[in-house]
Amino acid sequence: MLPDLRHFLRDDDLSPAEQAEVLELAAAMKAAPYDAKPLAGPQSVAMIFDKPTLRTQASFAAGIAELGGHPMLVDGQLAGIGKRESVADVARVLGRQVSAIAWRTFAQADLAEMAEHAGVPVVNALTDDFHPCQLLADLMTVLEHKPQLAGLTVGFFGDGASNMGNSWLLAGALAGMHVRISAPEGYTPAPEVFDRAREIGAETGGTAVWEQDPRAAAEGCDVMVTDTWISMGKEEEAQARTEVFGPYSLTQSLFELARPDAIAMHCLPAYRGKEIDAEVLDGIQSVVWDEAENRRHAQKAVLAFLLRHVGERP
Ligand code: NVA
């Protein structure tokens, strides 16, 4: 691996200062979308999706093009990653063709293996454990509505053990936010993730708690977040999950317990009447479509940041 090669595999691959730098760059790129061309050539960026996608594929493809590059969709099924060829060999081959790789897959360990062998920056386009690109877009969106991130209180309602729960803990801690995960027992983030969030928070002023009672968690929140109860790959648990997550639905009455100027967030796809009321998702305090748009700007910024840290190709 190149000594100065950087990846974005989880939220805390950026330091607090680097996260702030990427968010600032994302806002600048949103204001002037066609100015920065770090992928001029065009250089290619591989995008691989082992799970369904809409926002991630569209925003990476559009963003890579705006950076002057070529978005290369690599069919993970055809490539047979980890079956026909090992993850390491796929990484070595792709790294000779492209300037960066964005991969949506299941196991975080597979993503780490790709990063170890690719020789180019690897970006997490969602794994079972983390969704850091979404969090950059989400924090960028919060900043469009609030003067600063540090000190804000965020309530996350639903599957706290999901990629979104984990990423809110880490990214929120990096930004100095107070993150409350409101989830039923059995669906709380792994202790290691809580520990890591608290370790980061000791530096930034952020805090991380589990609050089982959704009404208590909602009190005084600046940001109210939820996500599907049935993440990709969990479809077989649909019934059990629907039974347990009911009280954590982001209903209008729960939303009203937050601050009057609170914003409602959801990474989408959303299931109205399940994890969120249509009234909240489609209401005037919802910022979900901005979050979706900001995926493009945030991912462009993180790609530009990572490409600045790449030395000579091997
Ligand atoms: N937790 C969800 C996020 C979707 C963008 C999932 O993994 O399906």
Side-chain angles (χ1 to χ4, degrees):
M1 192 192 291
L2 295 170
D4 59 351
L5 192 58
R6 295 282 299 266
H7 304 286
F8 190 49
L9 309 183
R10 38 187 281 165
D11 307 83
D12 58 347
D13 281 341
L14 298 178
S15 70
E18 288 171 344
Q19 183 198 62
E21 180 188 335
V22 170
L23 291 175
E24 207 174 302
L25 184 57
M29 285 177 157
K30 184 170 184 173
Y34 312 112
D35 281 11
K37 302 282 181 209
L39 290 169
Q43 299 169 49
S44 294
V45 175
M47 308 180 297
I48 317 167
F49 297 99
D50 297 338
K51 292 179 176 179
T53 178
L54 167 65
R55 276 150 296 280
T56 304
Q57 182 178 334
S59 58
F60 265 110
I64 291 161
E66 288 180 8
L67 292 174
H70 164 68
M72 177 196 288
L73 187 59
V74 174
D75 188 322
Q77 288 275 56
L78 276 182
I81 304 174
K83 299 185 184 86
R84 182 168 164 263
E85 252 175 311
S86 69
V87 173
D89 284 358
V90 170
R92 292 180 182 110
V93 170
L94 279 182
R96 297 298 180 100
Q97 305 295 344
V98 301
S99 293
I101 298 168
W103 189 17
R104 165 168 292 187
T105 193
F106 294 83
Q108 186 73 18
D110 287 343
L111 189 75
E113 195 177 345
M114 180 78 83
E116 197 180 325
H117 299 282
V120 296
V122 173
V123 175
N124 181 347
L126 182 147
T127 59
D128 291 346
D129 292 351
F130 299 104
H131 196 5
C133 287
Q134 181 69 49
L135 259 289
L136 286 179
D138 286 0
L139 296 184
M140 177 183 177
T141 307
V142 175
L143 270 176
E144 292 174 339
H145 294 270
K146 309 283 173 193
Q148 60 175 44
L149 297 174
L152 294 179
T153 300
V154 183
F156 178 95
F157 301 87
D159 185 4
S162 67
N163 40 25
M164 285 301 293
N166 288 339
S167 276
W168 263 106
L169 278 179
L170 295 188
L174 288 166
M177 301 171 98
H178 305 297
V179 181
R180 301 173 181 167
I181 300 289
S182 193
E185 219 156 343
Y187 294 94
T188 55
E192 309 86 79
V193 181
F194 261 122
D195 289 348
R196 179 67 185 129
R198 290 183 180 129
E199 186 185 15
I200 297 165
E203 189 188 331
T204 62
T207 58
V209 296
W210 171 43
E211 172 51 74
Q212 196 169 359
D213 175 1
R215 295 180 68 83
E219 289 281 346
C221 277
D222 300 284
V223 181
M224 297 279 279
V225 189
T226 190
D227 181 18
T228 180
W229 295 335
I230 303 151
S231 283
M232 294 177 278
K234 302 284 185 200
E235 292 78 4
E236 281 174 12
E237 301 171 21
Q239 177 148 2
R241 286 171 167 262
T242 304
E243 282 163 18
V244 78
F245 285 123
Y248 297 88
S249 179
L250 184 43
T251 57
Q252 182 63 26
S253 66
L254 190 70
F255 189 69
E256 282 167 10
L257 295 174
R259 283 175 53 104
D261 62 351
I263 54 174
M265 305 190 81
H266 192 310
C267 63
L268 306 172
Y271 301 93
R272 292 171 177 80
K274 296 270 179 30
E275 78 275 5
I276 191 163
D277 274 1
E279 217 178 334
V280 178
L281 188 86
D282 302 315
I284 53 166
Q285 284 166 267
S286 164
V287 296
V288 300
W289 312 115
D290 297 327
E291 289 177 76
E293 177 188 336
N294 287 340
R295 294 290 304 279
R296 179 168 90 258
H297 311 300
Q299 288 155 194
K300 284 174 66 180
V302 82
L303 280 172
F305 175 89
L306 297 173
L307 290 165
R308 278 211 295 268
H309 290 274
V310 175
E312 291 298 302
R313 288 279 195 88

